[in-house]
Amino acid sequence: MNVMPSHVPPGKKPLALVMQGGGALGAYEWGAVTRLCEDGFYPVAVAGVSIGAVNAAAIAGAPDGDIPASLEKLWRRLMIPTPWFVPDVVAETWSAFGNPAMYRLRSDFFSLMSWTSLCEVTPLRRTLKDLCDFGQINDTNHMRFAVTATEVASGQLRRFLNTETSITADHVIASGALPPGFPMAVVDGKAYWDGGVFDNTPVRPMFEMLSDAEADDLPIVLINLFPDATIEPIPTNMMQLKNRLMELTYENRFWADYGSPQGLREYSQMIAELDNALPADSPIRGNRHFPELLKRRCLKNLHVINSEHVPMTGGMDFSEKSMWARYERGHTAADTYLKGGNLVKAPAHAA
């Protein structure tokens, strides 16, 4: 695929964003992305899954290109305000009964025996359509965009890219259709579940969305909501067991074969060296898989902003207090990363 770079506003520094799923934990991504934008960075490509897909839609579909304002509108709508006298332990569980901007419990009890979900997501569809400019999301000159979902029948991961298809609210909803809470989402006649069921770190779509020049030097920022270096206690009851199972499902597996982010960068550097060493007329260059391999050299530019470990129960805590706390932690983590001089300030890739 011949990819054309997206436009970078004057004075902005381009980067690519990868955002994971994690329900209410996505407020951490809101804070981190806001801080990156405050430093002058601007996403030219964004890939998301589940709540990361919702954040991605708010980023690519930000009215007037104001990404921090778009994300704040989204998360203010997703917050569940609670009176000051309500204990935190109660406020943190209120979303179990629904979130007016995202989902509500089903009430069609007459068909209970045929239910395949506990909630319906009409509120999320309304939120996406109210806040996100889908015409802009589908403008690849503005930004390249990808979300992932798991096809229920085949179990295969499906990537929806705006370079290949016209993105709608259905694609974003499919990416976050986590069972058994949310219903399967139907796109082009096929049923989908949450993409995080298959892979909660959607780095791979970046291989298809970056130009050759961007693969060499464009920073790719992964906001990692599930750092995998934490040793957790062995579960001692069914609730702990369920939470730990969910955490293991959603932890980052992308660099498992490379040992660490550093191992991944060493792998990508090897690819760049292979390209330099391979003769121009080598038949290997004609192999249909070779261009895909070359794109993986972009992983040497991968930057990871880690979240602190939180229990998976936090993914259901949309209380206002918790949302702002996660925003602040994400904002602080990105600020620390920037002040450490870790994020390469690559030159703009003008369209």
Side-chain angles (χ1 to χ4, degrees):
M1 181 191 303
N2 185 23
V3 179
M4 295 298 293
S6 302
H7 174 71
V8 181
K12 298 294 186 180
K13 300 170 290 189
L15 55 66
L17 285 174
V18 178
M19 291 181 294
Q20 297 175 330
L25 305 183
Y28 188 92
E29 296 172 332
W30 163 33
V33 173
T34 296
R35 180 65 189 93
L36 293 171
C37 290
E38 290 170 351
D39 201 63
F41 285 97
Y42 186 85
V44 294
V46 57
V49 60
S50 198
I51 196 64
V54 176
N55 279 333
I59 291 168
D64 301 319
D66 191 340
I67 293 170
S70 180
L71 286 169
E72 181 169 341
K73 286 180 181 177
L74 169 67
W75 283 94
R76 282 187 179 274
R77 187 175 287 207
L78 293 178
M79 290 176 187
I80 300 179
T82 50
W84 64 268
F85 55 82
V86 174
D88 289 348
V89 69
V90 176
E92 292 167 2
T93 61
W94 277 16
S95 64
F97 302 99
N99 183 317
M102 196 173 187
Y103 57 91
R104 59 190 176 210
L105 295 175
R106 294 180 61 168
S107 58
D108 53 331
F109 298 107
F110 61 88
S111 60
L112 180 63
M113 297 304 294
S114 62
W115 281 13
T116 56
S117 69
L118 301 174
C119 303
E120 57 100 357
V121 293
T122 301
L124 177 58
R125 183 180 302 277
R126 183 171 58 248
T127 295
L128 290 169
K129 290 187 174 180
D130 285 350
L131 301 183
C132 304
D133 182 340
F134 277 87
Q136 190 171 275
I137 288 173
N138 284 294
D139 180 2
T140 57
N141 186 57
H142 167 70
M143 194 178 298
R144 279 147 289 162
F145 176 92
V147 295
T148 60
T150 304
E151 187 177 338
V152 177
S154 67
Q156 297 298 306
L157 185 70
R158 175 73 186 276
R159 302 165 190 156
F160 298 109
L161 285 67
N162 68 348
T163 55
E164 300 174 348
T165 191
S166 180
I167 302 296
T168 68
D170 289 337
H171 298 93
V172 179
I173 291 170
S175 186
L178 180 64
F182 295 169
M184 291 174 276
V186 178
V187 178
D188 296 330
K190 294 183 179 180
Y192 292 92
W193 274 332
D194 191 305
V197 172
F198 191 104
D199 181 3
N200 200 42
T201 308
V203 175
R204 291 175 181 84
M206 280 297 166
F207 303 153
E208 302 174 50
M209 292 198 293
L210 299 184
S211 69
D212 287 338
E214 289 170 331
D216 286 325
D217 61 16
L218 182 71
I220 302 172
V221 176
L222 162 63
I223 303 171
N224 191 24
L225 299 180
F226 297 93
D228 53 6
T230 304
I231 303 299
E232 286 296 295
I234 301 298
T236 59
N237 58 52
M238 291 301 292
M239 182 59 70
Q240 292 176 3
L241 185 149
K242 177 184 176 184
N243 289 338
R244 187 59 182 149
L245 178 61
M246 289 290 287
E247 289 171 1
L248 291 172
T249 300
Y250 284 92
E251 281 180 356
N252 184 5
R253 294 287 182 269
F254 184 74
W255 49 64
D257 293 338
Y258 311 97
S260 66
Q262 179 58 33
L264 191 62
R265 283 188 284 270
E266 292 170 356
Y267 169 77
S268 62
Q269 185 61 42
M270 178 272 295
I271 293 174
E273 293 171 358
L274 174 64
D275 184 34
N276 290 331
L278 200 63
D281 59 352
S282 170
I284 294 176
R285 293 187 181 276
N287 187 293
R288 64 188 181 91
H289 297 293
F290 190 69
E292 178 184 349
L293 176 66
L294 285 185
K295 280 290 182 75
R296 293 183 179 232
R297 71 189 187 277
C298 70
L299 295 172
K300 68 181 182 294
N301 307 315
L302 184 68
H303 300 264
V304 182
I305 298 177
N306 279 315
S307 169
E308 77 285 9
H309 179 266
V310 292
M312 191 59 194
T313 50
M316 288 293 293
D317 178 10
F318 284 90
S319 64
E320 186 173 14
K321 180 179 178 180
S322 294
M323 292 296 91
W324 280 112
R326 290 198 186 103
Y327 166 86
E328 291 295 342
R329 287 196 290 270
H331 192 277
T332 298
D335 182 66
T336 300
Y337 198 85
L338 289 167
K339 288 179 177 176
N342 299 300
L343 190 52
V344 177
K345 298 177 180 179
H349 300 286

